[in-house]
Each structure stands twice: as C-alpha cells, then as structure tokens.
Amino acid sequence: MAKREILVYPDKRLRLRSKEVENIDGNIVSIVKDLIDTMNSFDHSVGISAIQIGEPYRIICFDASKSPHYKKKNHGFTVLINPVILEREGEKVVREGCLSVPDYVGQVERSRRIVVKGYDIEGRELVIEANHLEAVIIQHEIDHLDGILFIDRVISPSHLIRRDMLKKGGTDGDR
C-alpha cells in the first residue's frame, strides 16, 4: 500500500476503456488500497479512478465531504467497483478540475442527480443515489473508466481555463 504516481494527460493510458473486475482478489484489494492512499495524499482530491494510477480496472473512490465548500448530505468515503449509472436527472454547469489534467479547469455540464450501482471491496452490491457535488464526482470518475476526460466535456473552448489564470482573477469561475 502506497501513494502512486498520477498519470497526466496526454498519457495514452488515460484514453483506454477500463476492464470489468471479475474477482475481488488480493491484486484488486491492493489496487484499492493504493488508490485510497493516493487520493488521500492530495488535500483537494475528492475522487480518483484506478486508471489514473495506471491500473485499467473499473474502480473509483470518492468522498464529497473532503470538499470544504460542500456540507450537504453525502455518502462519505466510498469505493465502487464496476460502477454503472442507472438514472440521471437534471442538468447543471459546474467547474471541474482533475489530478490528471493539473493545469486546467473547465465548465462542464453534468446531471444534478444520479443513481449508480456498483460493488464494495467485500463484493456487496451498492446502489447509491447521489446529488449535487457527489453526483458530479461520480460522473467524472466513471468518465475516466471510459477513457473520457473532463476536457472532452467542456461546454466550449472558452470555458477551459488555465489554473494560474484563476489566481490572477482571469475568470469568474462557477459563481
């Protein structure tokens, strides 16, 4: 168990479709532990997918409660194996960033509410209804499993902004 290096765009592995986890064996448990350690090593990280640490499996971790600005009800720290979105509802535009695209943020349209099904590390089925930020995080991480980055979903090129411009007041962000 250890923090792993994050793959950074344009690494071609980020464009691969991750494979289903067939058995939750020692290798998968080890990957999940490394994924947790890696996510927790970044104060601002609220989600991560296995492909971001070079493991092409359909595994995500997320925790909306790590966001200092998000106080709504959420599921706390969660691991989902083989996640699938069953329902989507509502639309909202949000500003997203990503550990794998560290220099940019962008305005992306996401569903406000989703229902997602997956499995925990013990192999138990989980069905989660997620709203607001938690729903956005899950959608972002599942996109990674399909080789899609948030920069592919930016609503227009003018809505992709270098992070250093945010510090200089070059955008109004997602107010």
Side-chain angles (χ1 to χ4, degrees):
M1 294 163 288
K3 175 185 172 190
R4 301 258 211 103
E5 185 176 326
I6 297 286
L7 300 183
V8 176
Y9 179 77
D11 191 305
K12 292 182 183 342
R13 291 172 288 178
L14 291 168
R15 297 303 193 167
L16 298 175
R17 180 169 168 77
S18 297
K19 54 190 168 193
E20 296 276 325
V21 172
E22 308 251 337
N23 297 307
I24 301 173
D25 57 15
N27 180 51
I28 296 300
V29 170
S30 179
I31 290 168
V32 168
K33 288 178 180 177
D34 287 355
L35 201 54
I36 293 166
D37 288 346
T38 304
M39 182 178 128
N40 287 335
S41 73
F42 294 92
D43 290 338
H44 62 284
S45 178
V46 293
I48 193 168
S49 66
I51 193 62
Q52 289 180 274
I53 62 169
E55 298 289 350
Y57 293 100
R58 297 189 75 78
I59 305 169
I60 64 172
C61 297
F62 59 92
D63 186 356
S65 67
K66 280 186 71 177
S67 172
H69 309 293
Y70 191 68
K71 303 299 179 207
K72 296 183 179 171
K73 182 177 182 256
N74 64 75
H75 294 88
F77 181 80
T78 305
V79 173
L80 276 182
I81 298 171
N82 298 334
V84 176
I85 295 174
L86 303 174
E87 295 177 27
R88 295 175 182 269
E89 184 179 296
E91 298 294 327
K92 68 189 272 182
V93 174
V94 295
R95 185 172 64 199
E96 290 187 18
C98 182
L99 295 173
S100 292
V101 188
D103 296 332
Y104 290 90
V105 295
Q107 300 290 92
V108 178
E109 191 171 294
R110 297 284 188 188
S111 299
R112 286 185 182 276
R113 178 191 159 278
I114 63 170
V115 175
V116 63
K117 178 181 89 166
Y119 299 88
D120 70 11
I121 195 69
E122 304 296 324
R124 295 179 296 241
E125 184 177 273
L126 297 175
V127 177
I128 295 172
E129 179 178 341
N131 296 286
H132 308 290
L133 177 64
E134 188 173 50
V136 168
I137 295 166
I138 295 168
Q139 291 168 82
H140 177 107
E141 298 310 332
I142 290 175
D143 273 355
H144 273 298
L145 303 181
D146 294 324
I148 299 168
L149 301 174
F150 85 93
I151 57 176
D152 302 324
R153 295 202 184 272
V154 171
I155 56 178
S156 80
S158 66
H159 288 91
L160 185 63
I161 303 156
R162 286 190 57 87
R163 281 187 190 272
D164 57 2
M165 293 299 293
L166 293 175
K167 294 174 186 155
K168 295 177 185 171
T171 181
D172 65 352
D174 58 349
R175 284 181 254 181

